[in-house]
Amino acid sequence: MQNSNCYDVTTWPVGNPAKDVGEVINSIIADIKERQTASDPDNGGKPGAVIYIPPGDYHLRTQVLIDISFLRIEGSGHGFTSSSIRFNVPEEEWPDLHELWPGGSRIIVDIPSAGDGTEAPGAAFYIERSGSPRISSVEFSNFCIDGLHFAPDGSDMHPENTYVNGKTGIYVASANDSFRITGMGFVYLENALTIYHADALSIHGNFIAECGSCIELRGWGQASKISDNLVGAGFKGHSIYAENHGGLLVTANNVFPRGASSVHLSGVRRSSVTNNRLHSFYPGMVVLAADSSENLVATNHFLRDQEPWTPFLGVDNGLDDLFGLLRVSGSHNSVIGNHFSEVIDSQSIRPAGTTPVIVRLAAGTGNFVSSNHVVAVDVRAKPSDSCYSAQVDALLATEASNSLAVTAVMVDSGSAQNTILDSGTEGQVAADRAANAVRGTPVPGA
């Protein structure tokens, strides 16, 4: 017996999913709303539905509008492959490539950009509902959302490297509860996920890369988690960003370069950033801003090295090496047991002649920094036209001619009553000892 609450976009009688899967999904949602009208027959009545997208390429020319709870849209394969690498391969080599485009259950966003910088009109999926209760339990699983191309931004950069096209994957505009985004692939979107007012949101096990910004939690929210994702934004945006959230868990993510930041928290309280592998070509990898307080930043691996791939040489996020790899503006945060590798060419340090900063306490009181390990080496980067081999070679290289002098912890005058233990030698901790408690890491043989 066929379940009337299970739909397949390829068998639905309205529209052509290959030409405009948005029209098809909107028609299915209208059918769900028409059939599920009673809110309380026999202690039930609105179970929602599953919409299945089989493997294939589906253009989306009509924005999908979701205003019902308990809807799951699922496919059979996140289909990610690097469009960035392909677009930077000479076109005469394209016929020899095994694949040119992402695959799996792939939605191609063909919605034209609004052109005014607003994100919502260019979103493939737009979710909003007013009234009570909040929209709940909407799930996206196991398919690909592909923005296809980036666009010129007025610079001399190749258009496919700008990270700009006005397209968004999923945009949630209203307060929501228990949304799940799992096993998805997002590629070549200016914004992959933009979610306002999230409660108990789970973003887990996705591949979100080569997007202008990857994950942005805006407005306010609580008790959400961003876990076990492979993430990498462009140099203009954030890989993981959250504002005014409490109880947020950011854990077990592998964050690639070249986002302007790896994790940026603004006004976030009582949350955790733990067990992540973070890789960046710029300072400002993890930022706790706007009085972000009582947070735990622990057992993360930070790697800051330099861009090895020729198309992006000279591109950065505008921050100098005094900013810090981890910058804290807030109170009573704990920074414990992190590993920092600073592997850069000393000739590239900005401002020239200064000492790079690893952890910077810029504002706030009562922060606790303990048992962090810093490895800093001076290397000569070797750029390459091959993205994959250049980055792997850079990751595996450990030869260095000299160690690199760094300030392991810097405490600004606007921050006081902090405790810094075993996170740098006495000479590597720049702090007013009268206003902060400092115990340097012991030096062998001293």
Side-chain angles (χ1 to χ4, degrees), residues 226-295:
I226 301 169
S227 59
D228 198 24
N229 300 285
L230 297 158
V231 184
F235 58 90
K236 297 178 181 179
H238 302 290
S239 290
I240 298 172
Y241 172 84
E243 61 188 21
N244 304 319
H245 270 61
L248 175 66
L249 177 62
V250 180
T251 190
N253 299 285
N254 198 332
V255 182
F256 318 140
R258 56 191 52 88
S261 63
S262 299
V263 179
H264 189 119
L265 306 181
S266 178
V268 170
R269 312 287 172 82
R270 303 184 180 100
S271 297
S272 298
V273 180
T274 57
N275 302 311
N276 300 283
R277 182 261 180 181
L278 310 170
H279 183 191
S280 179
F281 297 141
Y282 328 120
M285 295 177 64
V286 174
V287 178
L288 274 60
D291 197 29
S292 291
S293 298
E294 297 179 49
N295 299 296

Side-chain angles (χ1 to χ4, degrees), residues 91-152:
E91 288 192 35
E92 59 268 22
E93 297 180 18
W94 290 6
D96 297 325
L97 300 178
H98 293 295
E99 299 96 21
L100 287 179
W101 299 104
S105 299
R106 175 179 174 234
I107 287 181
I108 302 164
V109 184
D110 278 337
I111 298 174
S113 170
D116 57 2
T118 56
E119 296 172 34
F125 295 88
Y126 181 86
I127 299 97
E128 184 175 23
R129 185 175 77 180
S130 59
S132 184
R134 298 166 294 174
I135 188 169
S136 300
S137 301
V138 175
E139 303 181 38
F140 298 88
S141 179
N142 207 27
F143 64 95
C144 178
I145 305 178
D146 181 6
L148 201 63
H149 293 286
F150 288 129

Side-chain angles (χ1 to χ4, degrees), residues 282-284 304 316-325 327 342 348-352 354-357 360:
Y282 328 120
R304 190 261 159 136
D316 61 35
N317 64 352
L319 301 177
D320 64 35
D321 290 289
L322 297 178
F323 187 85
L325 300 187
R327 187 179 180 98
E342 176 99 322
S348 70
I349 293 171
R350 295 183 302 133
T354 59
T355 302
V357 175
R360 185 161 183 173

Side-chain angles (χ1 to χ4, degrees), residues 342-353:
E342 176 99 322
V343 185
I344 61 173
D345 186 337
S346 60
Q347 298 175 8
S348 70
I349 293 171
R350 295 183 302 133

Side-chain angles (χ1 to χ4, degrees), residues 10-321:
T10 61
T11 61
W12 186 246
V14 176
N16 181 339
K19 298 298 183 182
D20 187 2
V21 72
E23 178 189 11
V24 175
I25 295 174
N26 281 336
S27 175
I28 292 172
I29 292 172
D31 183 72
I32 297 167
K33 293 165 69 174
E34 183 178 346
R35 291 189 305 100
Q36 298 182 14
T37 56
S39 59
D40 190 24
D42 195 24
N43 298 317
K46 291 188 176 183
V50 173
I51 300 174
Y52 177 58
I53 305 169
D57 295 323
Y58 305 91
H59 289 264
L60 186 146
R61 295 183 168 91
T62 302
Q63 184 178 75
V64 175
L65 303 174
I66 298 175
D67 60 356
I68 58 172
S69 295
F70 319 126
L71 179 68
R72 178 181 174 89
I73 302 176
E74 64 179 19
S76 290
H78 70 77
F80 183 94
T81 193
S82 175
S83 291
S84 182
I85 291 176
R86 195 265 289 181
F87 281 128
N88 286 282
V89 169
E91 288 192 35
E92 59 268 22
E93 297 180 18
W94 290 6
D96 297 325
L97 300 178
H98 293 295
E99 299 96 21
L100 287 179
W101 299 104
S105 299
R106 175 179 174 234
I107 287 181
I108 302 164
V109 184
D110 278 337
I111 298 174
S113 170
D116 57 2
T118 56
E119 296 172 34
F125 295 88
Y126 181 86
I127 299 97
E128 184 175 23
R129 185 175 77 180
S130 59
S132 184
R134 298 166 294 174
I135 188 169
S136 300
S137 301
V138 175
E139 303 181 38
F140 298 88
S141 179
N142 207 27
F143 64 95
C144 178
I145 305 178
D146 181 6
L148 201 63
H149 293 286
F150 288 129
D153 64 354
S155 71
D156 295 331
M157 182 166 284
H158 190 294
E160 297 293 0
N161 295 334
T162 64
Y163 295 97
V164 172
N165 61 10
K167 297 178 181 180
T168 297
I170 298 171
Y171 189 102
V172 184
S174 59
N176 57 90
D177 188 17
S178 61
F179 275 34
R180 289 188 176 183
I181 299 165
T182 58
M184 294 285 292
F186 297 83
V187 61
Y188 261 54
L189 300 156
E190 187 166 341
N191 297 276
L193 291 170
T194 300
I195 301 175
Y196 282 85
H197 312 319
D199 186 357
L201 164 71
S202 177
I203 301 174
H204 179 81
N206 303 284
F207 203 118
I208 313 173
E210 298 177 5
C211 294
S213 282
C214 293
I215 300 169
E216 297 201 6
L217 307 186
R218 298 184 186 169
W220 40 258
Q222 67 168 356
S224 294
K225 71 180 180 75
I226 301 169
S227 59
D228 198 24
N229 300 285
L230 297 158
V231 184
F235 58 90
K236 297 178 181 179
H238 302 290
S239 290
I240 298 172
Y241 172 84
E243 61 188 21
N244 304 319
H245 270 61
L248 175 66
L249 177 62
V250 180
T251 190
N253 299 285
N254 198 332
V255 182
F256 318 140
R258 56 191 52 88
S261 63
S262 299
V263 179
H264 189 119
L265 306 181
S266 178
V268 170
R269 312 287 172 82
R270 303 184 180 100
S271 297
S272 298
V273 180
T274 57
N275 302 311
N276 300 283
R277 182 261 180 181
L278 310 170
H279 183 191
S280 179
F281 297 141
Y282 328 120
M285 295 177 64
V286 174
V287 178
L288 274 60
D291 197 29
S292 291
S293 298
E294 297 179 49
N295 299 296
L296 174 65
V297 180
T299 61
N300 301 286
H301 189 287
F302 291 72
L303 169 61
R304 190 261 159 136
D305 59 5
Q306 290 177 288
E307 174 70 71
W309 195 25
T310 305
F312 289 95
L313 293 178
V315 174
D316 61 35
N317 64 352
L319 301 177
D320 64 35
D321 290 289

